[in-house]
Amino acid sequence: MSPIRRPLVGGNWKMNLLSAEARDYVARLGQLSVGQAEVVLFPSFPLLTTLARGLAGSPVALGGQDLHPGAKGAHTGDVSGPQLVDAGCQWVLCGHSERRQDHHESDALVAAKVAAAIEHGLTPLICVGETQEERQAEETFAILERQLRAALPSARDRFELAYEPVWAIGTGATATPEIAQEAHAFLRRTLAEVMGEAIAARCRILYGGSANPDNAADLIAQPDLDGFLVGGASLDPDKFLTIIRACGWS
Ligand code: 13P
């Protein structure tokens, strides 16, 4: 954790929860103080309006899990930036590994989505990360650099980053604090080369991949780790709040 970057914690619900569960969740979240970390929930699209109503007046922000690069048109099953804004979003995930893998999203498509997010007033949370095979082949830095350099030209100066090693997502095999710090420091150095020192110094780089209440404190102690993008553990408001509290900023 850095003294200058306010921690940011995202809850990526992926394709989970129904509207009644989302309402219960918000009620439980609202009873507890989230401290000084900035918090964003990324529910699936049908839950956005339920959450927007439930979170009105709360400091918790809302984001979409994906967007189409276009503003409108004949794109069955897609959601646009203006629609996300209309549903109450301030944020959007771009380039999550489940989109890159399951939907064959290329670096160029991720860059187009980042550009659309910025154009429509959303803050993109750009996700990068290597697979197990790429790590074993010692390609981690090359992959991170390729994914990051492709997305950045569209990002101007309003974006945040998430390092999500694919091998750690949903597996329980969390990156050690040392492995996470090494990747985060590499990403920040690359950011400085591409965007300049000032942007690299202010950008929050979140860790995602089996983050949970037991490992959050050790991970957030790393100097280049500025919060979490939480999947499974964010479905339980108590676990999610414990992770948020581990990011207490003083
Ligand atoms: P898990 O926390 O379930 O490993 O998911 C991480 C993730 O993909 C967040 O975007």
PDB file of all heavy atoms in Angstrom, residues 51-84:
ATOM      1  N   LEU A  51     -29.006  -2.595  -8.081  1.00  0.00           N
ATOM      2  CA  LEU A  51     -27.918  -2.098  -7.242  1.00  0.00           C
ATOM      3  C   LEU A  51     -27.852  -0.577  -7.254  1.00  0.00           C
ATOM      4  O   LEU A  51     -27.548   0.043  -6.233  1.00  0.00           O
ATOM      5  CB  LEU A  51     -26.585  -2.683  -7.706  1.00  0.00           C
ATOM      6  CG  LEU A  51     -26.279  -4.089  -7.212  1.00  0.00           C
ATOM      7  CD1 LEU A  51     -24.842  -4.457  -7.517  1.00  0.00           C
ATOM      8  CD2 LEU A  51     -26.509  -4.219  -5.712  1.00  0.00           C
ATOM      9  N   ALA A  52     -28.121   0.020  -8.419  1.00  0.00           N
ATOM     10  CA  ALA A  52     -28.077   1.489  -8.482  1.00  0.00           C
ATOM     11  C   ALA A  52     -29.076   2.080  -7.494  1.00  0.00           C
ATOM     12  O   ALA A  52     -28.775   3.050  -6.784  1.00  0.00           O
ATOM     13  CB  ALA A  52     -28.365   1.959  -9.901  1.00  0.00           C
ATOM     14  N   ARG A  53     -30.257   1.468  -7.415  1.00  0.00           N
ATOM     15  CA  ARG A  53     -31.255   1.943  -6.442  1.00  0.00           C
ATOM     16  C   ARG A  53     -30.774   1.699  -5.023  1.00  0.00           C
ATOM     17  O   ARG A  53     -30.819   2.574  -4.164  1.00  0.00           O
ATOM     18  CB  ARG A  53     -32.592   1.226  -6.651  1.00  0.00           C
ATOM     19  CG  ARG A  53     -33.517   1.945  -7.607  1.00  0.00           C
ATOM     20  CD  ARG A  53     -34.949   1.424  -7.508  1.00  0.00           C
ATOM     21  NE  ARG A  53     -35.059   0.033  -7.949  1.00  0.00           N
ATOM     22  CZ  ARG A  53     -35.266  -0.330  -9.218  1.00  0.00           C
ATOM     23  NH1 ARG A  53     -35.400   0.597 -10.153  1.00  0.00           N
ATOM     24  NH2 ARG A  53     -35.355  -1.595  -9.541  1.00  0.00           N
ATOM     25  N   GLY A  54     -30.273   0.492  -4.775  1.00  0.00           N
ATOM     26  CA  GLY A  54     -29.860   0.120  -3.422  1.00  0.00           C
ATOM     27  C   GLY A  54     -28.667   0.916  -2.913  1.00  0.00           C
ATOM     28  O   GLY A  54     -28.533   1.152  -1.716  1.00  0.00           O
ATOM     29  N   LEU A  55     -27.800   1.309  -3.837  1.00  0.00           N
ATOM     30  CA  LEU A  55     -26.565   1.998  -3.424  1.00  0.00           C
ATOM     31  C   LEU A  55     -26.688   3.516  -3.476  1.00  0.00           C
ATOM     32  O   LEU A  55     -25.726   4.216  -3.162  1.00  0.00           O
ATOM     33  CB  LEU A  55     -25.398   1.566  -4.332  1.00  0.00           C
ATOM     34  CG  LEU A  55     -24.956   0.106  -4.218  1.00  0.00           C
ATOM     35  CD1 LEU A  55     -23.922  -0.224  -5.291  1.00  0.00           C
ATOM     36  CD2 LEU A  55     -24.395  -0.184  -2.827  1.00  0.00           C
ATOM     37  N   ALA A  56     -27.878   4.020  -3.859  1.00  0.00           N
ATOM     38  CA  ALA A  56     -28.045   5.477  -3.953  1.00  0.00           C
ATOM     39  C   ALA A  56     -27.680   6.109  -2.611  1.00  0.00           C
ATOM     40  O   ALA A  56     -28.139   5.666  -1.566  1.00  0.00           O
ATOM     41  CB  ALA A  56     -29.485   5.807  -4.334  1.00  0.00           C
ATOM     42  N   GLY A  57     -26.831   7.111  -2.651  1.00  0.00           N
ATOM     43  CA  GLY A  57     -26.427   7.801  -1.426  1.00  0.00           C
ATOM     44  C   GLY A  57     -25.300   7.114  -0.681  1.00  0.00           C
ATOM     45  O   GLY A  57     -24.808   7.631   0.327  1.00  0.00           O
ATOM     46  N   SER A  58     -24.884   5.950  -1.131  1.00  0.00           N
ATOM     47  CA  SER A  58     -23.775   5.262  -0.460  1.00  0.00           C
ATOM     48  C   SER A  58     -22.471   5.577  -1.198  1.00  0.00           C
ATOM     49  O   SER A  58     -22.497   5.957  -2.367  1.00  0.00           O
ATOM     50  CB  SER A  58     -24.028   3.744  -0.441  1.00  0.00           C
ATOM     51  OG  SER A  58     -23.163   3.071  -1.312  1.00  0.00           O
ATOM     52  N   PRO A  59     -21.331   5.426  -0.534  1.00  0.00           N
ATOM     53  CA  PRO A  59     -20.070   5.721  -1.229  1.00  0.00           C
ATOM     54  C   PRO A  59     -19.636   4.612  -2.187  1.00  0.00           C
ATOM     55  O   PRO A  59     -18.631   4.751  -2.875  1.00  0.00           O
ATOM     56  CB  PRO A  59     -19.063   5.850  -0.068  1.00  0.00           C
ATOM     57  CG  PRO A  59     -19.644   5.053   1.044  1.00  0.00           C
ATOM     58  CD  PRO A  59     -21.138   5.078   0.878  1.00  0.00           C
ATOM     59  N   VAL A  60     -20.398   3.517  -2.230  1.00  0.00           N
ATOM     60  CA  VAL A  60     -20.015   2.397  -3.100  1.00  0.00           C
ATOM     61  C   VAL A  60     -20.448   2.695  -4.532  1.00  0.00           C
ATOM     62  O   VAL A  60     -21.612   3.016  -4.782  1.00  0.00           O
ATOM     63  CB  VAL A  60     -20.667   1.086  -2.610  1.00  0.00           C
ATOM     64  CG1 VAL A  60     -20.313  -0.075  -3.529  1.00  0.00           C
ATOM     65  CG2 VAL A  60     -20.241   0.786  -1.174  1.00  0.00           C
ATOM     66  N   ALA A  61     -19.499   2.610  -5.466  1.00  0.00           N
ATOM     67  CA  ALA A  61     -19.789   2.908  -6.869  1.00  0.00           C
ATOM     68  C   ALA A  61     -20.131   1.622  -7.617  1.00  0.00           C
ATOM     69  O   ALA A  61     -19.985   0.511  -7.087  1.00  0.00           O
ATOM     70  CB  ALA A  61     -18.599   3.601  -7.516  1.00  0.00           C
ATOM     71  N   LEU A  62     -20.581   1.823  -8.867  1.00  0.00           N
ATOM     72  CA  LEU A  62     -21.089   0.705  -9.653  1.00  0.00           C
ATOM     73  C   LEU A  62     -20.362   0.650 -11.004  1.00  0.00           C
ATOM     74  O   LEU A  62     -20.059   1.675 -11.605  1.00  0.00           O
ATOM     75  CB  LEU A  62     -22.585   0.967  -9.876  1.00  0.00           C
ATOM     76  CG  LEU A  62     -23.505  -0.169 -10.232  1.00  0.00           C
ATOM     77  CD1 LEU A  62     -23.400  -1.304  -9.216  1.00  0.00           C
ATOM     78  CD2 LEU A  62     -24.939   0.349 -10.321  1.00  0.00           C
ATOM     79  N   GLY A  63     -20.104  -0.576 -11.444  1.00  0.00           N
ATOM     80  CA  GLY A  63     -19.449  -0.728 -12.743  1.00  0.00           C
ATOM     81  C   GLY A  63     -20.014  -1.894 -13.525  1.00  0.00           C
ATOM     82  O   GLY A  63     -20.578  -2.829 -12.954  1.00  0.00           O
ATOM     83  N   GLY A  64     -19.857  -1.830 -14.857  1.00  0.00           N
ATOM     84  CA  GLY A  64     -20.230  -2.949 -15.713  1.00  0.00           C
ATOM     85  C   GLY A  64     -19.048  -3.905 -15.862  1.00  0.00           C
ATOM     86  O   GLY A  64     -17.895  -3.516 -15.675  1.00  0.00           O
ATOM     87  N   GLN A  65     -19.349  -5.143 -16.220  1.00  0.00           N
ATOM     88  CA  GLN A  65     -18.278  -6.136 -16.380  1.00  0.00           C
ATOM     89  C   GLN A  65     -17.686  -6.116 -17.785  1.00  0.00           C
ATOM     90  O   GLN A  65     -16.664  -6.760 -18.033  1.00  0.00           O
ATOM     91  CB  GLN A  65     -18.818  -7.543 -16.079  1.00  0.00           C
ATOM     92  CG  GLN A  65     -19.217  -7.736 -14.629  1.00  0.00           C
ATOM     93  CD  GLN A  65     -19.818  -9.100 -14.373  1.00  0.00           C
ATOM     94  OE1 GLN A  65     -19.802  -9.985 -15.217  1.00  0.00           O
ATOM     95  NE2 GLN A  65     -20.376  -9.268 -13.181  1.00  0.00           N
ATOM     96  N   ASP A  66     -18.329  -5.391 -18.695  1.00  0.00           N
ATOM     97  CA  ASP A  66     -17.873  -5.361 -20.084  1.00  0.00           C
ATOM     98  C   ASP A  66     -18.674  -4.278 -20.799  1.00  0.00           C
ATOM     99  O   ASP A  66     -19.692  -3.806 -20.269  1.00  0.00           O
ATOM    100  CB  ASP A  66     -18.151  -6.732 -20.745  1.00  0.00           C
ATOM    101  CG  ASP A  66     -17.641  -6.800 -22.179  1.00  0.00           C
ATOM    102  OD1 ASP A  66     -16.553  -6.266 -22.449  1.00  0.00           O
ATOM    103  OD2 ASP A  66     -18.345  -7.385 -23.025  1.00  0.00           O
ATOM    104  N   LEU A  67     -18.213  -3.853 -21.977  1.00  0.00           N
ATOM    105  CA  LEU A  67     -19.021  -2.979 -22.828  1.00  0.00           C
ATOM    106  C   LEU A  67     -18.640  -3.230 -24.277  1.00  0.00           C
ATOM    107  O   LEU A  67     -17.567  -3.769 -24.565  1.00  0.00           O
ATOM    108  CB  LEU A  67     -18.848  -1.497 -22.465  1.00  0.00           C
ATOM    109  CG  LEU A  67     -17.651  -0.725 -23.029  1.00  0.00           C
ATOM    110  CD1 LEU A  67     -17.802   0.751 -22.740  1.00  0.00           C
ATOM    111  CD2 LEU A  67     -16.331  -1.214 -22.486  1.00  0.00           C
ATOM    112  N   HIS A  68     -19.535  -2.845 -25.165  1.00  0.00           N
ATOM    113  CA  HIS A  68     -19.250  -2.916 -26.613  1.00  0.00           C
ATOM    114  C   HIS A  68     -18.527  -1.629 -27.008  1.00  0.00           C
ATOM    115  O   HIS A  68     -18.790  -0.587 -26.422  1.00  0.00           O
ATOM    116  CB  HIS A  68     -20.586  -3.058 -27.366  1.00  0.00           C
ATOM    117  CG  HIS A  68     -20.411  -3.334 -28.822  1.00  0.00           C
ATOM    118  ND1 HIS A  68     -20.149  -2.343 -29.744  1.00  0.00           N
ATOM    119  CD2 HIS A  68     -20.449  -4.494 -29.516  1.00  0.00           C
ATOM    120  CE1 HIS A  68     -20.028  -2.888 -30.954  1.00  0.00           C
ATOM    121  NE2 HIS A  68     -20.209  -4.190 -30.836  1.00  0.00           N
ATOM    122  N   PRO A  69     -17.637  -1.694 -27.998  1.00  0.00           N
ATOM    123  CA  PRO A  69     -16.949  -0.451 -28.388  1.00  0.00           C
ATOM    124  C   PRO A  69     -17.884   0.590 -29.014  1.00  0.00           C
ATOM    125  O   PRO A  69     -17.576   1.781 -28.995  1.00  0.00           O
ATOM    126  CB  PRO A  69     -15.916  -0.909 -29.430  1.00  0.00           C
ATOM    127  CG  PRO A  69     -15.869  -2.381 -29.401  1.00  0.00           C
ATOM    128  CD  PRO A  69     -17.103  -2.881 -28.697  1.00  0.00           C
ATOM    129  N   GLY A  70     -19.007   0.152 -29.559  1.00  0.00           N
ATOM    130  CA  GLY A  70     -19.922   1.107 -30.195  1.00  0.00           C
ATOM    131  C   GLY A  70     -20.903   1.701 -29.206  1.00  0.00           C
ATOM    132  O   GLY A  70     -21.142   1.148 -28.126  1.00  0.00           O
ATOM    133  N   ALA A  71     -21.498   2.831 -29.587  1.00  0.00           N
ATOM    134  CA  ALA A  71     -22.438   3.519 -28.697  1.00  0.00           C
ATOM    135  C   ALA A  71     -23.846   2.938 -28.789  1.00  0.00           C
ATOM    136  O   ALA A  71     -24.625   3.017 -27.844  1.00  0.00           O
ATOM    137  CB  ALA A  71     -22.472   5.010 -29.025  1.00  0.00           C
ATOM    138  N   LYS A  72     -24.199   2.374 -29.964  1.00  0.00           N
ATOM    139  CA  LYS A  72     -25.504   1.726 -30.133  1.00  0.00           C
ATOM    140  C   LYS A  72     -25.488   0.948 -31.431  1.00  0.00           C
ATOM    141  O   LYS A  72     -24.542   1.056 -32.216  1.00  0.00           O
ATOM    142  CB  LYS A  72     -26.636   2.750 -30.137  1.00  0.00           C
ATOM    143  CG  LYS A  72     -26.589   3.746 -31.271  1.00  0.00           C
ATOM    144  CD  LYS A  72     -27.775   4.679 -31.194  1.00  0.00           C
ATOM    145  CE  LYS A  72     -27.710   5.704 -32.315  1.00  0.00           C
ATOM    146  NZ  LYS A  72     -28.859   6.594 -32.327  1.00  0.00           N
ATOM    147  N   GLY A  73     -26.523   0.166 -31.676  1.00  0.00           N
ATOM    148  CA  GLY A  73     -26.586  -0.518 -32.957  1.00  0.00           C
ATOM    149  C   GLY A  73     -26.991  -1.967 -32.845  1.00  0.00           C
ATOM    150  O   GLY A  73     -27.427  -2.437 -31.793  1.00  0.00           O
ATOM    151  N   ALA A  74     -26.843  -2.682 -33.978  1.00  0.00           N
ATOM    152  CA  ALA A  74     -27.304  -4.066 -34.081  1.00  0.00           C
ATOM    153  C   ALA A  74     -26.233  -5.015 -33.554  1.00  0.00           C
ATOM    154  O   ALA A  74     -25.431  -5.558 -34.322  1.00  0.00           O
ATOM    155  CB  ALA A  74     -27.636  -4.376 -35.542  1.00  0.00           C
ATOM    156  N   HIS A  75     -26.185  -5.176 -32.231  1.00  0.00           N
ATOM    157  CA  HIS A  75     -25.182  -6.029 -31.592  1.00  0.00           C
ATOM    158  C   HIS A  75     -25.868  -6.851 -30.510  1.00  0.00           C
ATOM    159  O   HIS A  75     -25.835  -6.503 -29.311  1.00  0.00           O
ATOM    160  CB  HIS A  75     -24.056  -5.178 -30.985  1.00  0.00           C
ATOM    161  CG  HIS A  75     -23.383  -4.317 -32.003  1.00  0.00           C
ATOM    162  ND1 HIS A  75     -22.578  -4.832 -33.006  1.00  0.00           N
ATOM    163  CD2 HIS A  75     -23.424  -2.980 -32.203  1.00  0.00           C
ATOM    164  CE1 HIS A  75     -22.145  -3.847 -33.769  1.00  0.00           C
ATOM    165  NE2 HIS A  75     -22.641  -2.711 -33.306  1.00  0.00           N
ATOM    166  N   THR A  76     -26.526  -7.909 -30.923  1.00  0.00           N
ATOM    167  CA  THR A  76     -27.348  -8.703 -30.027  1.00  0.00           C
ATOM    168  C   THR A  76     -26.533  -9.231 -28.846  1.00  0.00           C
ATOM    169  O   THR A  76     -25.468  -9.821 -29.042  1.00  0.00           O
ATOM    170  CB  THR A  76     -27.971  -9.881 -30.806  1.00  0.00           C
ATOM    171  OG1 THR A  76     -28.727  -9.328 -31.888  1.00  0.00           O
ATOM    172  CG2 THR A  76     -28.875 -10.707 -29.907  1.00  0.00           C
ATOM    173  N   GLY A  77     -27.026  -8.990 -27.661  1.00  0.00           N
ATOM    174  CA  GLY A  77     -26.370  -9.505 -26.461  1.00  0.00           C
ATOM    175  C   GLY A  77     -25.336  -8.564 -25.882  1.00  0.00           C
ATOM    176  O   GLY A  77     -24.813  -8.823 -24.802  1.00  0.00           O
ATOM    177  N   ASP A  78     -25.018  -7.472 -26.567  1.00  0.00           N
ATOM    178  CA  ASP A  78     -24.002  -6.547 -26.061  1.00  0.00           C
ATOM    179  C   ASP A  78     -24.631  -5.366 -25.329  1.00  0.00           C
ATOM    180  O   ASP A  78     -25.830  -5.098 -25.459  1.00  0.00           O
ATOM    181  CB  ASP A  78     -23.147  -6.030 -27.222  1.00  0.00           C
ATOM    182  CG  ASP A  78     -22.122  -7.065 -27.655  1.00  0.00           C
ATOM    183  OD1 ASP A  78     -21.520  -7.697 -26.775  1.00  0.00           O
ATOM    184  OD2 ASP A  78     -21.933  -7.236 -28.871  1.00  0.00           O
ATOM    185  N   VAL A  79     -23.794  -4.668 -24.605  1.00  0.00           N
ATOM    186  CA  VAL A  79     -24.238  -3.503 -23.832  1.00  0.00           C
ATOM    187  C   VAL A  79     -23.261  -2.367 -24.121  1.00  0.00           C
ATOM    188  O   VAL A  79     -22.045  -2.578 -24.193  1.00  0.00           O
ATOM    189  CB  VAL A  79     -24.267  -3.859 -22.328  1.00  0.00           C
ATOM    190  CG1 VAL A  79     -24.451  -2.624 -21.476  1.00  0.00           C
ATOM    191  CG2 VAL A  79     -25.381  -4.862 -22.035  1.00  0.00           C
ATOM    192  N   SER A  80     -23.792  -1.168 -24.297  1.00  0.00           N
ATOM    193  CA  SER A  80     -22.926  -0.038 -24.675  1.00  0.00           C
ATOM    194  C   SER A  80     -22.548   0.812 -23.464  1.00  0.00           C
ATOM    195  O   SER A  80     -23.182   0.739 -22.404  1.00  0.00           O
ATOM    196  CB  SER A  80     -23.658   0.846 -25.688  1.00  0.00           C
ATOM    197  OG  SER A  80     -24.694   1.557 -25.029  1.00  0.00           O
ATOM    198  N   GLY A  81     -21.549   1.655 -23.680  1.00  0.00           N
ATOM    199  CA  GLY A  81     -21.135   2.589 -22.640  1.00  0.00           C
ATOM    200  C   GLY A  81     -22.268   3.495 -22.180  1.00  0.00           C
ATOM    201  O   GLY A  81     -22.532   3.618 -20.980  1.00  0.00           O
ATOM    202  N   PRO A  82     -23.008   4.147 -23.138  1.00  0.00           N
ATOM    203  CA  PRO A  82     -24.125   5.002 -22.690  1.00  0.00           C
ATOM    204  C   PRO A  82     -25.169   4.230 -21.887  1.00  0.00           C
ATOM    205  O   PRO A  82     -25.776   4.772 -20.956  1.00  0.00           O
ATOM    206  CB  PRO A  82     -24.703   5.521 -24.015  1.00  0.00           C
ATOM    207  CG  PRO A  82     -23.532   5.514 -24.954  1.00  0.00           C
ATOM    208  CD  PRO A  82     -22.718   4.312 -24.573  1.00  0.00           C
ATOM    209  N   GLN A  83     -25.394   2.940 -22.241  1.00  0.00           N
ATOM    210  CA  GLN A  83     -26.364   2.147 -21.459  1.00  0.00           C
ATOM    211  C   GLN A  83     -25.852   1.898 -20.038  1.00  0.00           C
ATOM    212  O   GLN A  83     -26.624   1.900 -19.078  1.00  0.00           O
ATOM    213  CB  GLN A  83     -26.651   0.816 -22.173  1.00  0.00           C
ATOM    214  CG  GLN A  83     -27.484   0.999 -23.431  1.00  0.00           C
ATOM    215  CD  GLN A  83     -27.676  -0.304 -24.185  1.00  0.00           C
ATOM    216  OE1 GLN A  83     -26.751  -1.100 -24.324  1.00  0.00           O
ATOM    217  NE2 GLN A  83     -28.884  -0.523 -24.671  1.00  0.00           N
ATOM    218  N   LEU A  84     -24.548   1.671 -19.915  1.00  0.00           N
ATOM    219  CA  LEU A  84     -23.984   1.483 -18.562  1.00  0.00           C
ATOM    220  C   LEU A  84     -24.136   2.763 -17.739  1.00  0.00           C
ATOM    221  O   LEU A  84     -24.516   2.720 -16.559  1.00  0.00           O
ATOM    222  CB  LEU A  84     -22.504   1.080 -18.642  1.00  0.00           C
ATOM    223  CG  LEU A  84     -22.196  -0.308 -19.199  1.00  0.00           C
ATOM    224  CD1 LEU A  84     -20.677  -0.543 -19.213  1.00  0.00           C
ATOM    225  CD2 LEU A  84     -22.881  -1.396 -18.381  1.00  0.00           C
TER     226      LEU A  84
END
